[in-house]
Amino acid sequence: MRKLRSSLTQVWDQNVCALGDQRAADGVPGGVRTEIASSWKRSARHISPGVTEALLSNESDTRAAFQASPLSTAVRQLDAELRAAADDGDLVIAVTDPGARILWTHGSSVMRRTAEKVNFVPGGRWDEASVGTNALDLALRLDRTATVYSAEHFSSCVHDWVCYAAPVHDPRTGRQLGVLDLSTTWDRAHPIGLAMARALARLMEREVRSVPMQAATGPEGGGCGRGLLDLRLLGRASVWLDGRPLRLARRQTEILALLALSPEGLDLGELHARLYGDRPVSLGTLKAEMSQLRGVLGGRLASRPYRIDLPVRCDATDVLERLRAGDVAGACERYGGELLPWSESPVLIEYGHFVTVALRTALLSDPQPAAVLRYTERAPYDLEILERWAPAERGRVAAAGPQSGGPRPGR
């Protein structure tokens, strides 16, 4: 354990500061997981690795958000179990909203003091743009369990930590409600930590199922407006803010897609070129679109340069991140089809082509049955994938030999 921590610290020292100075923007750090390296790069666009604590949201807003969340009922029902797990394991347990803002915590006496020093408390904003790479944001972004150990964290203030996080969904709708995280010091890391986080998250989902739907979704048109912006661009496009669908024109969806793919921001001219290409559309028209879009997002659209002032999850980038991590089956799960097939944006057309080619290349190289079947549900006319998979599958069946109970060859 100590050797691993030392190795990660060395990799962090060699790469993270350089990323912040933009001296290694095109490099991929070795000795660290792909999803961590990708997160380091994104984090470097927003914050310094020397940040000492998470940002804090307004206390009353946080309290109101927790009371409005179906997770508050789950926490009340599981209060004794959560507190016992934290006290017995010398942990701090946190429950967040979909934007990685902490809504509730409980910690052992040691971890409580440690957590307070870095604002790992209700209202603490643990999204990647606020505090860098961490398990809470990673679990929400990848929509699966995540562990971040010691110097895998972007910010040095939590290099003494190990965190295990699991997303919590509404079992009736599938939408993300937040994440459950278990954190302790690196020297207390244990293989059971991630399994425990996953089990507690499933218990919370069981309690959420008992919450009336109106209480779980909130009043129509409501919401705190500070949660996750979820862009589903592959196949049938939709955009969700804080778990609620937004009614957007196609052009507004294209704009959000372009900004999500350029988190560092785009000035008006760059956005115009990427959106319209050579089409004769005035800058004034685009300015009007941006004004309307800012209203839809409740003002969470920054300018100079234009960028989304919210945590963002995008299925297109998720597919690529999972492919980089070698998770072909997970990439196929997130793949919903072509990226905005109706779009005339030259950049979106090129990016969509890149996503599809990357996924097909991975499947042709390793045609896993479950992944192929999932992909062909979205692309039923891709005969090359099926033709490559069929011989490989026959080979696997032949290698397995005759199954017991099957017909026997005659003499």
Side-chain angles (χ1 to χ4, degrees):
M1 199 72 70
R2 190 177 299 275
K3 185 177 179 180
L4 173 60
R5 183 172 190 257
S6 176
S7 173
L8 289 171
T9 300
Q10 186 176 7
V11 175
W12 187 91
D13 288 338
Q14 292 172 347
N15 292 278
V16 169
C17 290
L19 287 171
D21 294 339
Q22 297 184 336
R23 295 195 300 267
D26 296 327
V28 178
V32 70
R33 290 178 288 151
T34 304
E35 61 264 36
I36 298 296
S38 299
S39 179
W40 281 359
K41 286 187 176 183
R42 292 191 300 268
S43 301
R45 301 184 186 122
H46 300 284
I47 63 167
S48 161
V51 64
T52 58
E53 59 188 18
L55 300 174
L56 276 176
S57 298
N58 179 274
E59 184 179 348
S60 60
D61 287 349
T62 301
R63 190 182 305 112
F66 182 48
Q67 293 302 320
S69 170
L71 294 181
S72 62
T73 299
V75 167
R76 285 196 299 272
Q77 294 297 323
L78 298 172
D79 183 79
E81 291 90 338
L82 294 174
R83 291 177 185 272
D87 293 336
D88 294 344
D90 220 353
L91 302 163
V92 58
I93 297 184
V95 175
T96 79
D97 68 8
R101 174 180 52 172
I102 294 178
L103 301 177
W104 178 91
T105 64
H106 177 76
S108 66
S109 57
V110 174
M111 283 307 298
R112 183 166 59 248
R113 291 191 295 270
T114 302
E116 289 171 353
K117 293 177 182 178
V118 294
N119 285 340
F120 199 83
V121 296
R125 290 170 52 185
W126 284 79
D127 58 282
E128 197 174 70
S130 298
V131 78
T133 307
N134 67 87
L136 295 82
D137 181 277
L138 207 58
L140 288 166
R141 186 179 295 273
L142 301 180
D143 200 26
R144 57 180 170 83
T145 54
T147 301
V148 176
Y149 176 80
S150 185
E152 287 184 323
H153 290 93
F154 182 80
S155 301
S156 58
C157 67
V158 281
H159 278 190
D160 285 340
W161 289 46
V162 58
C163 303
Y164 311 99
V168 182
H169 302 85
D170 186 323
R172 297 160 298 193
T173 65
R175 73 182 179 105
Q176 280 188 346
L177 300 175
V179 71
L180 180 136
D181 176 88
L182 309 178
S183 295
T184 188
T185 53
W186 69 270
D187 54 327
R188 293 184 175 91
H190 195 283
I192 202 174
L194 195 61
M196 183 177 178
R198 185 187 297 114
L200 289 173
R202 299 296 82 80
L203 286 175
M204 294 194 74
E205 290 177 345
R206 184 194 66 187
E207 297 300 333
V208 167
R209 188 184 296 275
S210 67
V211 179
M213 283 296 292
Q214 179 64 19
T217 58
E220 193 70 28
C224 64
R226 297 183 64 87
L228 181 75
L229 185 66
D230 188 359
L231 302 182
R232 305 175 191 179
L233 309 177
L234 300 174
R236 186 176 180 179
S238 62
V239 178
W240 298 66
L241 176 59
D242 202 18
R244 294 179 176 81
L246 297 180
R247 294 182 180 180
L248 299 178
R250 285 187 170 185
R251 190 74 69 230
Q252 293 173 328
T253 301
E254 288 178 300
I255 291 170
L256 288 179
L258 289 167
L259 293 177
L261 299 180
S262 302
E264 70 280 2
L266 297 170
D267 64 32
L268 186 65
E270 290 173 324
L271 182 57
H272 186 279
R274 297 184 185 202
L275 180 61
Y276 298 110
D278 295 331
R279 284 174 286 165
V281 179
S282 70
L283 290 175
T285 298
L286 180 54
K287 285 183 178 180
E289 293 276 13
M290 301 306 290
S291 178
Q292 293 177 11
L293 190 55
R294 182 177 288 108
V296 172
L297 296 180
R300 303 302 300 276
L301 185 64
S303 58
R304 299 182 183 178
Y306 287 112
R307 57 184 177 80
I308 301 169
D309 188 22
L310 283 164
V312 177
R313 186 178 70 182
C314 175
D315 55 359
T317 56
D318 280 357
V319 167
L320 294 179
E321 286 186 2
R322 295 186 185 203
L323 288 176
R324 293 188 191 104
D327 183 11
V328 179
C332 289
E333 280 294 322
R334 286 291 281 157
Y335 184 73
E338 290 184 59
L339 188 146
L340 303 184
W342 41 263
S343 175
E344 297 180 5
S345 160
V347 170
L348 293 179
I349 291 172
E350 181 180 0
Y351 194 89
H353 180 68
F354 179 75
V355 171
T356 301
V357 169
L359 185 59
R360 293 187 76 256
T361 300
L363 284 171
L364 289 170
S365 175
D366 183 16
Q368 303 170 18
V372 169
L373 291 175
R374 178 65 176 176
Y375 171 78
T376 54
E377 289 176 2
R378 301 289 184 254
Y381 304 110
D382 195 335
L383 299 181
E384 184 181 5
I385 295 291
L386 287 172
E387 290 170 356
R388 179 68 63 88
W389 170 68
E393 183 64 10
R394 284 197 297 269
R396 272 190 286 268
V397 172
Q403 302 298 309
S404 61
R408 300 184 180 185
R411 296 189 178 186

